[in-house]
């Protein structure tokens, strides 16, 4: 290894990253091939973030990357998953929910190890609170109904806590490589925005204004506030009810010692994501929504100066008999039905025609991304006939990711 | 309500359902609540404003209007309706107060969204209901329980005040026979697992579950067939197609993968049948989602209901 690949800032700094120069086996996309093995083997890469819209196979991809890093590249790897399919979770030994990484059994690693964990957002939030305050105060916070609601249902808490957990894993320094799956957000970008949103809220002007009466022993500061602020408090009180405001206010007062802490932590995570030791892989299925989301993501990473390493085009349909086109396959099926006695081949022709058509559609959809971001390296992973829920299945995905 | 795991085509099914319900001159409102502008994309329109717009007509003078519900706009509308805030409302928006309010009350956003749905469902015009049906492209299965139960959550949190009474009103409608939550799935492991989970969750919450919609379903082929290279080669020869070894082996491999997939699908269909809800299968649209495709799906939904 000659050291980490050099990367310049600016539009798609990833270009020099992990592109493979191999003979172009098809003329369909002009983008370079993503060299997953070079990425996983690079000691300069400490974090791989798998992002993309829901339902594209992010978790499976993250697990397969982690397994390959441990088995092929001897790296001590941890995979942080958010919401794995039940059987995949079982195959990774993710049956106990203690919010810490557990070593995965059955990994055939030479020097490497694979550990896996599933995020428990409420517990992670509790850990953050405990880290910043004493036990008594923590108890008070945990008992507050607003905290209880917020730590389990606040939109963005999962995203924030995923990033918090990433920060914790990295701070411990015991991993060569952390592979992160991102939450199944409405938008793939939520996890970039949620930490800032939550910290902005907790450190915010509004909440400080609300907090004032609690701080000065109940003497209301609202009287001193401007007329429009009077309207605001009246409206908020009317709509939300005084009980909720009291809960929020005591919650925030209890969290007072942590003020600044949230913003600082969010900013630290943000810097980790910008660091060249972090690689982002956008995972997309070859469907219009997923590809559109992948394109938004590529733009956003670029404007945040975060290193986009490549696109994983997941679940591509493969055609094993390319010599026969879909039209001739369909015509053949009709002909064979007429002749009779060829039911099996006629059906095989229809199956083949559907595959070819699907493949053609997928290529056209993927082309939208590829033509807009020709510099971004791409790797295609073929669709699996059956769902992946064991280490062998993950190894097979890993081989596809590595182009092997 | 139309939910489903992300990527199963719930927006498409919601739109097809709206078109189906509009048949025979009925008025239907198709809404989305997650700011994705999925409806606009589906109908190839510019992003929808916070305003009900006609997006499709149906046979017999039926009409589908669409609305992208935005929580902030709904809050301002709500404040204006009940408190006549006017200028002060806009000042609040400027101060970020709306963002603040939807942030401090977890679920407030969902209360506003479901509150707007209630308003649309119960709205009257000239003594009649303004809409015969309201179809919601709802949040995905992973969040549907929270989205629909949020009114209960908030009612618990806000012990008095208009939010509480508003929540209770919404909650009552969601638990009444006026509501049905349809779950869209594909014959794949994760979507089916989430369908089962969401169904259990909604059942526990007392929210009525409608139909399970299997999207992009295919009629099974090659069932019970004995595949062999010799058989395929015989057929290819008859059809005058290439019979080289690679092609024959490729076709056999494709057919085998297809049969393996069918085997998985049989198990998944059983899981769905065990839910005890009606199951409708919709074909996959060969030409992508076009208006004709939506009409095909709508026709299928009408035939099955």
């Amino acid at each position: 290894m000659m050291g980490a690949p050099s990367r310049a800032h600016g539009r798609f700094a990833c270009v020099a990253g992990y592109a493979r120069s191999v003979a172009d086996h098809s003329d369909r996309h002009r983008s370079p091939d993503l060299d997953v093995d070079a990425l996983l083997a690079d000691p300069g890469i400490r974090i791989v973030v798998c992002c993309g819209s829901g339902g594209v196979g992010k978790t499976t991809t993250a697990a397969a990357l982690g397994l390959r890093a441990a088995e092929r590249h001897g790296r001590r790897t941890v995979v942080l998953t958010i919401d794995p399919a039940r059987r995949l979770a079982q195959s990774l030994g993710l049956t106990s929910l203690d919010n810490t990484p557990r070593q995965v059994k059955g990994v055939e690693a030479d020097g490497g190890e694979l550990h896996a964990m599933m995020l428990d957002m409420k517990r992670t939030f509790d850990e953050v609170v405990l880290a910043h305050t004493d036990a008594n105060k923590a108890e008070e916070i945990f008992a507050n109904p607003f905290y209880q609601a917020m730590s389990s249902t606040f939109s963005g808490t999962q995203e924030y806590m995923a990033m918090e957990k990433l920060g914790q894993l990295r701070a411990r320094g015991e991993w060569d490589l952390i592979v992160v799956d991102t939450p199944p957000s409405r938008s793939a970008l939520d996890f970039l925005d949620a930490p800032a949103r939550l910290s902005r809220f907790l450190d915010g002007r509004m909440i400080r204004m609300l907090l004032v009466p609690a701080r000065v022993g109940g003497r209301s500061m609202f009287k001193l506030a401007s007329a429009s602020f009077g309207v605001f408090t009246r409206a908020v009180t009317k709509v939300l009810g005084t009980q909720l405001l009291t809960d929020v206010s005591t919650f925030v007062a209890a969290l007072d010692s942590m003020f600044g802490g949230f913003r600082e932590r969010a900013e630290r995570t943000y810097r980790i994501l910008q660091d060249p030791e972090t690689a982002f892989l956008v995972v997309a299925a070859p469907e219009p929504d997923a590809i559109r989301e992948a394109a938004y993501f590529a733009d956003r990473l670029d404007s945040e100066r975060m290193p986009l390493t490549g696109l994983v085009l997941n679940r591509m349909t493969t055609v094993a008999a390319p010599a026969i086109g879909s039209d001739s396959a369909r015509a053949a099926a009709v002909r064979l039905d007429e002749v009779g006695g060829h039911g099996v081949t006629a059906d095989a022709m229809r199956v083949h025609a559907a595959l070819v058509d699907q493949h053609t559609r997928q290529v056209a959809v993927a082309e939208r991304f590829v033509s807009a971001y020709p510099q971004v390296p791409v790797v295609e992973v073929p669709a699996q006939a059956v769902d992946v829920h064991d280490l062998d299945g993950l190894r097979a995905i890993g081989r596809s990711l590595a182009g092997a | 309500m139309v939910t489903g795991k992300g990527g199963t085509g719930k927006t498409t099914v919601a739109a097809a359902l709206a078109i189906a319900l509009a048949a025979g001159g009925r008025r239907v409102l198709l809404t989305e609540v997650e700011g994705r502008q999925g409806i606009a994309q589906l109908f190839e329109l510019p992003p929808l404003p916070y305003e009900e717009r006609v997006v499709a007509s149906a046979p017999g003078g039926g009409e589908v209007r669409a609305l992208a519900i935005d929580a902030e706009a709904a809050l301002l509308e709500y404040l204006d309706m009940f408190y006549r805030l006017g200028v002060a409302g806009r000042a609040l928006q400027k101060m970020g107060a709306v963002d603040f309010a939807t942030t401090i009350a977890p679920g407030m956003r969902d209360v506003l969204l479901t509150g707007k749905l209630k308003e649309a469902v119960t709205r009257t015009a000239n003594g009649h209901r303004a809409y015969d049906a309201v179809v919601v492209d709802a949040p995905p299965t992973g969040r549907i329980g929270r989205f629909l139960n949020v009114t209960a959550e908030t009612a618990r949190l806000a012990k008095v005040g208009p939010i509480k009474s508003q929540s209770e009103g919404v909650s009552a409608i969601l638990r009444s026979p006026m509501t049905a939550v349809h779950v869209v799935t594909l014959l794949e492991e994760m979507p089916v697992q989430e369908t089962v989970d969401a169904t259990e969750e909604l059942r526990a919450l007392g929210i009525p579950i409608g139909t399970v919609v299997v999207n992009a379903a295919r009629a099974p082929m090659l069932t019970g067939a004995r595949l062999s290279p010799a058989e395929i080669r015989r057929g290819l020869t008859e059809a005058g197609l290439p019979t080289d070894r690679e092609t024959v082996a490729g076709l056999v491999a494709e057919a085998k993968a297809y049969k393996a997939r069918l085997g998985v699908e049989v198990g998944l269909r059983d899981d769905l049948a065990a839910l005890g809800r009606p199951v409708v299968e919709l074909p996959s649209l060969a030409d992508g989602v076009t208006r004709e495709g939506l009409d095909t799906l709508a026709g299928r939904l009408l035939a099955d209901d």
Side-chain angles (χ1 to χ4, degrees):
Chain A
M1 198 70 214
M2 318 266 282
S6 64
R7 290 184 228 189
H9 270 306
R11 190 157 172 83
F12 298 111
C14 59
V15 179
Y18 301 91
R20 238 177 343 163
S21 50
V22 287
D24 197 11
H25 47 75
S26 84
D27 53 6
R28 129 166 94 68
H29 64 66
R30 307 168 298 272
S31 31
D33 287 343
L34 175 66
D35 191 344
V36 168
D37 273 336
L39 173 72
L40 296 178
D42 184 351
I45 291 294
R46 304 289 302 278
I47 296 172
V48 174
V49 182
C50 296
C51 42
S53 52
V56 296
K58 269 185 307 208
T59 310
T60 308
T61 304
L65 288 169
L67 184 62
R68 193 166 178 89
E71 292 192 331
R72 288 299 187 94
H73 304 292
R75 303 192 76 187
R76 200 174 136 78
T77 307
V78 62
V79 177
L80 171 58
T81 66
I82 309 296
D83 190 17
R86 216 162 290 155
R87 289 167 73 186
L88 177 64
Q90 279 164 5
S91 72
L92 293 172
L94 291 172
T95 41
S96 65
L97 287 162
D98 55 1
N99 210 26
T100 56
R102 295 279 152 189
Q103 187 159 1
V104 179
K105 293 187 182 72
V107 174
E108 295 152 7
D110 187 15
E113 280 174 24
L114 179 64
H115 296 242
M117 70 166 289
M118 184 155 54
L119 178 77
D120 179 335
M121 73 173 177
K122 168 109 177 61
R123 266 175 109 130
T124 307
F125 209 146
D126 291 354
E127 287 164 18
V128 176
V129 170
L130 278 168
H132 280 276
T133 190
D134 60 75
N136 287 341
K137 213 154 194 186
E139 280 311 311
E140 194 185 313
I141 292 172
F142 295 157
N144 186 295
F146 177 69
Y147 174 76
Q148 288 167 5
M150 173 160 159
S151 60
S152 51
T153 64
F154 179 79
S155 71
T157 299
Q158 196 180 37
E159 287 80 3
Y160 180 78
M161 290 306 144
M163 292 301 108
E164 170 63 31
K165 201 66 194 173
L166 170 62
Q168 284 179 15
L169 290 172
R170 184 178 177 275
R172 277 201 269 160
E174 52 183 288
W175 311 103
D176 297 336
L177 182 66
I178 304 169
V179 184
V180 198
D181 173 23
T182 50
S185 307
R186 178 201 74 188
S187 139
L189 308 176
D190 276 6
F191 80 91
L192 282 178
D193 297 324
R197 195 146 47 86
L198 189 70
S199 68
R200 201 167 54 231
F201 162 64
L202 290 171
D203 284 351
R205 186 162 73 113
M206 288 286 175
I207 209 153
R208 283 185 172 278
M209 283 178 173
L210 282 175
L211 183 58
V212 170
R215 285 230 204 113
V216 295
R219 186 168 55 87
S220 178
M221 278 281 286
F222 294 152
K223 282 182 210 121
L224 305 175
S226 66
S228 71
F229 192 67
V231 172
F232 165 68
T233 44
R234 271 205 303 283
V236 169
T237 312
K238 262 187 186 167
V239 176
L240 299 177
T242 47
Q243 180 61 47
L244 180 58
L245 279 186
T246 311
D247 286 344
V248 173
S249 179
T250 49
F251 167 66
V252 173
L255 277 187
D256 199 25
S257 58
M258 298 166 61
F259 267 144
F262 276 96
R263 173 159 295 169
E264 205 177 287
R265 291 177 94 92
E267 278 168 4
R268 206 182 317 148
T269 309
Y270 188 83
R271 281 197 302 275
I272 292 175
L273 296 178
Q274 278 190 324
D275 197 296
E277 70 173 42
T278 300
F280 281 87
L281 291 179
V282 177
V283 185
E287 291 150 14
D289 284 353
I291 290 293
R292 197 181 305 120
E293 200 71 11
Y296 285 139
F297 206 89
D299 280 341
R300 179 66 189 277
L301 283 177
D302 190 50
S303 65
E304 302 280 348
R305 298 180 155 232
M306 289 178 181
L308 170 60
T309 302
L311 172 74
V312 175
L313 209 43
N314 206 13
R315 300 187 184 150
M316 282 295 283
T317 298
T318 42
V319 175
I324 302 174
S326 66
D327 287 344
S328 37
R330 242 183 287 274
V334 172
R335 165 105 187 266
L336 292 170
D337 280 345
E338 283 165 7
V339 174
H342 289 283
V344 171
T345 311
D347 271 359
M349 287 291 109
R350 276 186 277 265
V351 167
H352 177 71
L355 278 180
V356 172
D357 285 348
Q358 193 175 23
H359 181 73
T360 308
R361 261 201 312 275
Q362 291 178 346
V363 168
V365 169
E367 187 61 32
R368 292 181 206 166
F369 184 95
V370 163
S371 57
Y373 309 93
Q375 316 90 315
V376 177
V378 176
V379 63
E380 286 183 14
V381 177
Q384 311 291 310
V386 294
D387 293 306
V388 171
H389 24 61
D390 57 22
L391 293 183
D392 278 338
L394 290 177
R395 280 185 194 111
I397 302 262
R399 282 192 295 276
S400 298
L401 280 163
Chain B
M1 298 280 176
V2 179
T3 183
K5 184 174 163 54
T8 56
K10 70 184 173 61
T11 305
T12 306
V13 173
L17 180 61
I19 292 170
L21 290 170
R26 307 209 312 163
R27 286 150 306 164
V28 177
L29 181 65
L30 172 64
T31 65
E32 66 172 53
V33 291
E34 298 211 289
R36 287 191 307 124
Q37 289 292 344
I39 298 173
Q41 281 162 17
L42 196 64
F43 288 96
E44 293 177 334
L45 298 170
L48 296 168
Y50 187 70
E51 191 184 288
E52 291 154 34
R53 293 253 172 111
V54 177
V55 292
S57 52
E63 191 174 87
V64 177
R65 287 171 186 257
L67 172 67
I69 303 182
D70 170 76
E72 302 211 341
L75 176 62
L76 288 176
E77 185 187 46
Y78 177 82
L79 288 175
D80 213 43
M81 218 184 309
F82 290 92
Y83 303 106
R84 307 196 180 282
L85 283 181
V87 179
R90 282 191 289 280
L92 290 181
Q93 193 177 21
K94 247 186 171 167
M95 287 174 72
V98 176
D99 191 29
F100 175 80
T102 52
T103 306
I104 59 167
M108 172 92 170
R109 193 165 281 274
D110 293 345
V111 176
L112 291 165
L113 297 171
T114 48
K116 178 64 189 172
L117 290 174
K118 178 193 163 196
E119 186 276 322
V121 167
T122 54
R123 189 190 310 159
T124 51
N126 308 323
H128 296 285
R129 288 239 189 273
Y131 289 107
D132 295 299
V134 175
V135 177
V136 187
D137 179 12
T141 33
R143 284 197 299 278
I144 189 69
R146 195 184 297 167
F147 176 70
L148 297 178
N149 194 42
V150 80
T151 47
E153 286 269 317
T154 318
R156 202 162 48 78
L157 219 79
K159 296 189 177 61
V160 288
I163 283 285
K164 182 177 164 61
S165 46
Q166 166 80 356
S167 299
E168 284 169 350
V170 173
S171 186
I173 286 194
L174 291 176
R175 286 175 169 77
S176 77
M178 286 174 79
T179 300
V181 182
H182 305 296
V183 191
V184 183
T185 186
L186 301 174
L187 285 178
E188 289 169 16
E189 186 193 14
M190 278 296 275
V192 168
Q193 182 185 309
E194 290 203 9
T195 299
V196 173
D197 291 350
T199 307
E200 280 168 12
E201 189 184 10
L202 293 171
R203 223 167 241 162
L205 293 173
I207 294 168
I209 300 150
T211 300
V212 174
V213 181
V214 176
N215 200 12
R218 319 172 278 187
M221 290 182 286
L222 287 168
T223 45
R226 283 197 25 235
L227 274 167
S228 70
E231 175 68 27
I232 297 287
R233 185 170 290 113
R234 198 172 68 85
L236 289 176
T237 310
E238 174 66 43
L241 288 170
T243 55
D244 58 285
R245 186 196 291 235
E246 198 189 335
T247 298
V248 172
L251 288 171
V252 171
E254 286 176 2
K256 278 192 173 148
Y258 174 85
K259 287 185 79 171
R261 191 66 230 164
L262 276 190
V264 173
E265 290 183 1
V266 167
L268 294 171
R269 275 198 177 88
D270 289 347
D271 292 348
L272 294 174
L275 294 173
R277 298 304 313 163
V279 178
V280 171
E281 300 209 355
L282 296 180
S284 70
L285 297 174
D287 300 322
V289 184
T290 57
R291 183 56 215 274
E292 291 73 36
L294 286 176
D295 287 341
T296 306
L297 299 184
R300 205 56 91 80
L301 288 168
L302 282 174
D304 274 67
D305 279 353

